[in-house]
Each structure stands twice: as C-alpha cells, then as structure tokens.
Amino acid sequence: MDELLSLHRVNAERFSRLVHRVGPPDSPAWRRATPCTDWTVRDLVNHLTSEQLWAPELLAGRTVAEVGDRFDGDVLGEDPVAAWDAAIAAALAAFAEAGALGRTVDLSRGPTAAHDYLDEMLTDLAVHGWDLARGLGVEDDMDPSTVDRLLVEWSDRTDELGPGSVFAGPLDVPDGADQQTRLLALFGRRA
C-alpha cells in the first residue's frame, strides 16, 4: 500500500507541475489540443480535477447518488490552477488518512476496494499526465516505477480498455519497444 500511495503522490506532483506550466487563465495554452480526442488542455485538467474532487467524498463513505452532479461540468472556474491545487490536495489527504485504503467506496459500477480505486486514480494521473505534457509540448517521460507497475496491472486487463472506456483501445507496438511505449500503447497512445 505504501508503494501505491507513493506512486500516486509522485504522479499527482508531476501533473501539478504541468498544470502550473499552462499559465494564467487567459493563456492560449489552455486551448491547445491533447492526445485525448476532443479534449483541450483545459478539458483534460477539468476531467482530472473533477476526479480528485470525488475522492474525499467517496472515501468519506458518500455514495454516487449522494454526491450527485456536484462535480459535473466546469469545475475549474476562473482560476484553473487554484482549482486543481485545491482538488489534488484534498484527494491526497483523503487517500493518506489512516485506514482509508482498507475502506470500500461506492463507484458508479458498484462497491470497490479503496486501494483498487487508488490504482485507477494513479492510472489516470500517469496516462493523462503524459497527455497533458504532449498537449503542452514539454518533456513527456513518465515515472519508470509507475510505468512498471501499470504495465503489470493492465497487461492482462486490456478487455477493460477501448469502446466504453475513458481510454482508447490498445495498439500494436514494435518488437523491442521500451516500457513507456508499451504502456502507452495499452491505452491507445503512440509514444
């Protein structure tokens, strides 16, 4: 569990650094395209911010129905960087609470172990962190320990990716591809 919390924090910090690179709310970088079809940088950051807002609620025992549509739509407001910072700080604190990873959370698909939920949040931060770096045109190397963990975690779960998933379906990779290229291909991305 400590490794999972540590990797989650590493990827949250990486994503945060990238969000801070986007610039002020009126920066044209917020309108840049990303590898996520139909998502600009702002759309991508909004998606991840919304996910972070859910974490404290779900870990506190609230159901999807109780939270309702509170985090639908634009959650970034007038200051996207501040909105992200507040959301990720609250999510990190909620996951780090004593006993949090032993809980069960109510997701739209039903009851889920909190550590599995954290694994999914880690996956989103890592893969969408790469998307954000690509959208900004900056260094897109992922944390090698995260890449190794996610390759193990997702290599046998490709049936969960593709249509109906938040990620594109897996792509073929050439022989000898590096670990990051292989991981990104699982999520429909060309490195």
Side-chain angles (χ1 to χ4, degrees), residues 13 67 70 78 83 117 123 134 137:
E13 290 169 355
V67 176
R70 197 166 19 158
E78 297 296 317
Y117 175 46
T123 300
R134 276 291 171 108

Side-chain angles (χ1 to χ4, degrees), residues 92-162:
L92 287 168
F95 279 114
E97 245 179 55
L101 295 186
R103 298 175 191 156
T104 299
V105 295
D106 177 57
L107 301 182
S108 55
R109 67 173 179 267
T112 303
H115 64 81
D116 290 339
Y117 175 46
L118 179 57
D119 225 358
E120 292 173 17
M121 296 289 277
L122 167 62
T123 300
D124 270 8
L125 281 168
V127 175
H128 285 317
W130 182 86
D131 293 331
L132 181 54
R134 276 291 171 108
L136 295 174
V138 299
E139 178 61 48
D140 62 12
D141 285 346
M142 298 169 75
D143 171 63
S145 296
T146 301
V147 171
D148 291 345
R149 180 185 177 94
L150 295 182
L151 265 174
V152 169
E153 179 73 28
W154 287 96
S155 290
D156 293 330
R157 296 173 57 189
T158 56
D159 59 318
E160 297 176 38
L161 303 170

Side-chain angles (χ1 to χ4, degrees), residues 145-190:
S145 296
T146 301
V147 171
D148 291 345
R149 180 185 177 94
L150 295 182
L151 265 174
V152 169
E153 179 73 28
W154 287 96
S155 290
D156 293 330
R157 296 173 57 189
T158 56
D159 59 318
E160 297 176 38
L161 303 170
S165 165
V166 295
F167 292 110
L171 304 173
D172 292 329
V173 292
D175 291 338
D178 63 55
Q179 296 285 80
Q180 180 170 309
T181 300
R182 290 178 49 228
L183 176 66
L184 291 167
L186 283 177
F187 293 93
R189 286 147 171 81
R190 291 257 180 245

